[in-house]
Amino acid sequence: MCVLWSFTYELDLHNMSLLLALELLPLLLALPRLSCASNSTHSSLDGQAEALLQWKTSLSDWSNDRLDSWTKGSNPCDWDGVACSNDVLHRGRDQGDAALVVSNISLVGFALVGTLDRLHFPNLPHLVYLDLSGNILQGSIPSSIGALAQLTHLDLSNNDLNGSIPTSLGNCTKLTTLALGSNQLNGLLPPEIRHCHHLSSLLLSDNLLTGEIPQELGYLTNLYHLDLSRNNLNGAIPTTFSDLTQLYRLKLSYNYLAGRVPSTAATLISLDHNMDLCGDSYDLKLCETPKLDMEHLNRKHSRMVLLAFFASFSFACLSIASILVVCRRKKCVKSKSKRKSGDILSIWNFDGKIAFEDITDATENFDEKYCIGIGGYGTVFRVELEGGVTFAVKLLHSMEEFRDEETFHAEIEVLTKIRHRCIVKLYGFCSHSQCKFLVYDLIERGSLSSILHEQELAKELDWSNRIAIVADVAQALSYLHHDCDDPIVHRDIKNSNILLNQDYKAYVSDFGMARKLKHGCSSWSTIFAGTCGYIAPELSSTMVLTEKCDVYSFGVVALEVVMGKHPGDLLLPFFCRTEQPGKFNDILDQRVAAPSTINEEKDVILVALVAFACLQVNPKARPTMQQVYQALTNRSRSAFMPRPLHEISLQDLHDYCVIIKNT
């Protein structure tokens, strides 16, 4: 009896162990898989973190300070500007399994300085949202960005990116927003963007894009907002735009578009400042009926002559017909000759239809009531042509014929080869027997000089606008000195050659004295060019022209923006090597309210530091314009605030200006 019970107990215990083992078997089998999933997730994050850390090391030291949380060994999901997601399924896994990946990167306004070529996009295949707008990123957009197949939002606007838009963006088929505005992107708009069928916002304004708008953009039927304004686009607006039924906002202004405007569904449409658009709506002029071309006329005329020859008309009728033909030909030749003598020569995409008579008629033979400015080499007139197109026309003075001719051709040579959003646009020119003039984009507010000299206008020019003006001029000069094939020295930087639009954006103008330099070389100046009070001191003694001459003139202008007037005697200590007397606060323009925030105080102090650095008597001690622009765009650095504004003396600024060399 006892033996039987013992056997039964052992059998039950064995069965229970077997049942428990069977229940635990799935969990035991899952352990290796869970372990592998954990390792895979960790490995995936490590690879993405490494890609981001490699990019960080390629950025400037200042940029690295802004990314302090990006450290090796830490979880990238905890980094500033980085977010992760765990809803991306891996192939071969059950639907319940997912890996943690970097899906969002948003570093808006981090003042990052560097390029994108070290950011290895193929190592970030699960990126859905990428926003690097409002930084100082340079170089081109790498073609590897096409590896971001999951990307829905890409914003690289408000940087200094150049080169062409990569065709590989067409691989990002899930994109809904593509924003690349306010850069230096050039070349053609790639038709491969048509593959991004989900695009609702395509924002490419304020670049240097050229060529025609591709018809393929009309295939993006989900487009809601399309902005191609402020580029160099030409040709006709694609007829396929009529198929964009979801389009609400269309901006094509400030280009060189021509021809008939197709009807679109857009409610808000901007087409101003183009060359020759016409249509039945949008307040455009009506399109003219195409005239028969000369070849067709000649064929028609030949048939008439043949019919007349074989007809049974008398010799008298043939003679009359011949006389009529001769008269018509003479009239046609005379008309062509007259038109040829008056047309503006075509440059860039200027269509040459605006004739000499159109300009003179619009200004009533350059009547002084249309005058908006007078310079050393010409008078500027406001010209409004039929259709509401408005230009600024600079009529060259004719007192010194040879000098005028040299100035005229110098300005044309420079402005036809450069394009920058802070340099005034040249649309065309006219070399007529009666006069010579240049046709520019009209900058509405006029010169910085005229605004600073008007009490009420100067009050409206607050500190934020003044700081932006100085930065715009610095950017334009940095482009001329460092980004052109051959460096270009303006030679006449002063407040009257800086124009402001309605938004107080600055444009450098008047390139009549500009000169190209070979890279790394100086040039002997045979003419003492420039304006007294802005000329670099070395020009008066050595006549050696370098980019540092413009740097000095910029320093005078920057100080003038801060003071509201020319610095005058404040420049003497730089020459005499004596101390700068007085407080910085005392020289600020008293017509505008004092800086009200710490950031405004920092900005004003930084501009003064930059100006003092540019005014060094020794040209080698001055910074380059590239260094100046970088310093102004990195102006949040605390080192530029040595003491509160009201405590800083002018001598302090003189001593601290060496900081600019370390930027």
Side-chain angles (χ1 to χ4, degrees):
M1 184 70 175
C2 294
V3 175
L4 182 60
W5 177 86
S6 175
F7 175 77
T8 306
Y9 174 77
E10 290 179 2
L11 184 61
D12 291 342
L13 186 61
H14 177 74
N15 291 337
M16 289 176 62
S17 300
L18 184 61
L19 289 172
L20 184 61
L22 290 173
E23 291 178 359
L24 293 176
L25 183 61
L27 293 176
L28 293 172
L29 292 174
L31 282 175
R33 186 157 60 93
L34 291 174
S35 176
C36 290
S38 177
N39 291 336
S40 175
T41 299
H42 188 263
S43 175
S44 177
L45 269 180
D46 282 349
Q48 295 165 70
E50 184 61 30
L52 294 175
L53 288 174
Q54 285 185 17
W55 180 53
K56 177 189 174 182
T57 59
S58 71
L59 301 175
S60 70
D61 294 339
W62 165 243
S63 303
N64 276 267
D65 294 342
R66 302 299 303 272
L67 302 176
D68 285 338
S69 62
W70 291 29
T71 57
K72 193 172 184 64
S74 61
N75 188 343
C77 304
D78 298 328
W79 294 354
D80 289 341
V82 178
C84 295
S85 173
N86 61 354
D87 59 353
V88 180
L89 299 178
H90 283 239
R91 293 179 183 176
R93 296 195 178 168
D94 296 334
Q95 193 165 355
D97 297 328
L100 201 62
V101 294
V102 173
S103 59
N104 287 45
I105 298 177
S106 180
L107 302 171
V108 181
F110 268 53
L112 303 179
V113 181
T115 63
L116 291 173
D117 56 351
R118 293 286 298 278
L119 182 55
H120 297 289
F121 292 113
N123 291 345
L124 301 166
H126 307 294
L127 203 59
V128 175
Y129 187 99
L130 178 60
D131 192 340
L132 302 177
S133 60
N135 288 289
I136 316 166
L137 299 176
Q138 301 165 336
S140 60
I141 302 173
S143 60
S144 61
I145 199 168
L148 303 179
Q150 304 298 322
L151 198 64
T152 62
H153 182 101
L154 176 61
D155 192 344
L156 302 176
S157 58
N158 289 287
N159 281 286
D160 287 326
L161 298 170
N162 53 38
S164 59
I165 298 175
T167 58
S168 60
L169 276 175
N171 298 332
C172 305
T173 56
K174 295 185 178 181
L175 272 176
T176 59
T177 298
L178 177 58
L180 305 176
S182 296
N183 280 288
Q184 303 287 332
L185 299 174
N186 53 46
L188 303 176
L189 187 58
E192 286 78 5
I193 292 180
R194 71 181 184 274
H195 299 303
C196 305
H197 302 295
H198 301 287
L199 265 181
S200 62
S201 294
L202 180 57
L203 312 176
L204 306 177
S205 66
D206 205 4
N207 278 290
L208 305 173
L209 300 176
T210 56
E212 297 185 355
I213 301 173
Q215 294 277 344
E216 287 82 356
L217 288 191
Y219 304 155
L220 302 173
T221 53
N222 290 308
L223 267 184
Y224 179 82
H225 185 185
L226 176 60
D227 190 352
L228 304 177
S229 62
R230 296 186 181 276
N231 280 286
N232 301 324
L233 300 171
N234 58 36
I237 299 174
T239 56
T240 54
F241 276 21
S242 299
D243 300 328
L244 300 176
T245 57
Q246 303 298 318
L247 195 61
Y248 177 75
R249 179 173 295 162
L250 175 63
K251 297 184 70 176
L252 301 174
S253 55
Y254 290 93
N255 279 289
Y256 302 96
L257 302 172
R260 180 181 292 276
V261 176
S263 59
T264 71
T267 303
L268 302 178
I269 185 168
S270 176
L271 302 170
D272 57 301
H273 288 81
N274 276 288
M275 295 316 302
D276 193 18
L277 292 176
C278 63
D280 302 327
S281 56
Y282 313 118
D283 295 326
L284 297 170
K285 65 178 182 180
L286 295 176
C287 297
E288 296 180 1
T289 304
K291 295 181 179 179
L292 295 174
D293 56 27
M294 290 302 297
E295 184 180 353
H296 179 71
L297 288 174
N298 288 335
R299 288 199 303 268
K300 182 178 180 181
H301 184 262
S302 299
R303 287 196 298 269
M304 291 176 64
V305 171
L306 288 173
L307 288 172
F309 179 78
F310 290 106
S312 57
F313 290 104
S314 64
F315 177 76
C317 293
L318 290 172
S319 300
I320 293 173
S322 299
I323 292 172
L324 289 175
V325 171
V326 171
C327 290
R328 181 176 296 178
R329 286 181 177 176
K330 285 184 177 180
K331 183 177 180 180
C332 183
V333 170
K334 184 177 180 180
S335 175
K336 286 183 179 179
S337 176
K338 182 179 179 181
R339 181 180 177 186
K340 183 177 180 181
S341 67
D343 282 349
I344 292 176
L345 299 179
S346 175
I347 61 173
W348 291 332
N349 301 304
F350 195 80
D351 62 8
K353 292 181 180 178
I354 302 174
F356 173 80
E357 289 81 4
D358 296 328
I359 300 291
T360 54
D361 290 347
T363 57
E364 299 178 28
N365 201 20
F366 296 106
D367 190 280
E368 62 179 12
K369 69 181 179 183
Y370 296 98
C371 175
I372 57 175
I374 300 177
Y377 299 101
T379 304
V380 182
F381 296 84
R382 178 189 176 92
V383 178
E384 185 170 350
L385 302 176
E386 292 184 5
V389 181
T390 307
F391 296 101
V393 173
K394 182 166 75 172
L395 177 67
L396 269 68
H397 297 160
S398 56
M399 294 181 294
E400 302 175 18
E401 189 65 32
F402 173 76
R403 182 65 179 278
D404 280 349
E405 189 75 23
E406 184 181 13
T407 301
F408 180 69
H409 289 291
E411 189 149 10
I412 292 171
E413 181 184 5
V414 171
L415 287 179
T416 52
K417 295 180 180 178
I418 61 175
R419 300 291 289 187
H420 191 275
R421 62 175 179 263
C422 294
I423 295 176
V424 68
K425 290 183 180 179
L426 175 67
Y427 284 119
F429 61 91
C430 178
S431 182
H432 195 273
S433 57
Q434 299 180 26
C435 61
K436 294 178 175 62
F437 57 75
L438 300 157
V439 184
Y440 299 96
D441 190 11
L442 179 67
I443 312 298
E444 299 87 347
R445 290 189 183 272
S447 71
L448 174 63
S449 173
S450 63
I451 291 177
L452 291 178
H453 280 82
E454 287 288 338
Q455 190 80 6
E456 295 304 318
L457 294 178
K459 289 180 181 179
E460 297 178 10
L461 199 60
D462 59 22
W463 290 114
S464 61
N465 285 325
R466 295 186 187 219
I467 303 305
I469 289 169
V470 174
D472 286 343
V473 177
Q475 186 182 17
L477 291 177
S478 177
Y479 168 79
L480 292 173
H481 293 179
H482 302 283
D483 297 327
C484 295
D485 293 336
D486 291 317
I488 297 173
V489 182
H490 186 282
R491 295 210 294 173
D492 197 19
I493 294 296
K494 57 184 178 180
N495 58 8
S496 59
N497 286 339
I498 297 168
L499 308 179
L500 306 180
N501 69 5
Q502 291 292 353
D503 298 324
Y504 292 104
K505 184 174 182 60
Y507 296 81
V508 175
S509 68
D510 201 342
F511 285 76
M513 289 188 290
R515 176 174 293 183
K516 290 184 177 181
L517 302 178
K518 294 297 180 183
H519 278 285
C521 301
S522 58
S523 173
W524 288 94
S525 177
T526 56
I527 299 175
F528 192 70
T531 302
C532 185
Y534 298 87
I535 300 174
E538 64 269 18
L539 274 178
S540 61
S541 55
T542 65
M543 299 295 283
V544 175
L545 179 69
T546 67
E547 298 97 321
K548 295 299 181 74
C549 298
D550 279 353
V551 175
Y552 181 88
S553 302
F554 170 82
V556 178
V557 170
L559 209 51
E560 192 168 4
V561 171
V562 171
M563 298 174 63
K565 61 181 180 181
H566 189 277
D569 293 343
L570 196 62
L571 300 177
L572 291 177
F574 288 99
F575 297 93
C576 305
R577 301 184 184 279
T578 59
E579 288 194 0
Q580 291 277 8
K583 291 285 187 181
F584 175 54
N585 205 28
D586 296 336
I587 70 168
L588 297 182
D589 192 348
Q590 302 300 315
R591 296 172 296 180
V592 61
S596 57
T597 65
I598 293 296
N599 285 335
E600 273 195 353
E601 289 190 4
K602 285 182 180 181
D603 290 347
V604 174
I605 292 171
L606 175 57
V607 169
L609 285 169
V610 167
F612 273 50
C614 294
L615 292 172
Q616 300 301 307
V617 175
N618 182 1
K620 293 183 179 179
R622 300 171 201 154
T624 65
M625 287 310 304
Q626 193 172 56
Q627 290 173 318
V628 168
Y629 178 60
Q630 288 176 352
L632 291 171
T633 51
N634 292 348
R635 58 178 177 268
S636 58
R637 184 181 291 188
S638 59
F640 288 133
M641 186 74 173
R643 288 201 300 275
L645 187 146
H646 66 277
E647 296 180 7
I648 296 177
S649 68
L650 293 174
Q651 187 60 37
D652 290 334
L653 297 177
H654 196 283
D655 295 338
Y656 277 115
C657 68
V658 72
I659 293 175
I660 191 72
K661 297 293 288 183
N662 300 322
T663 302

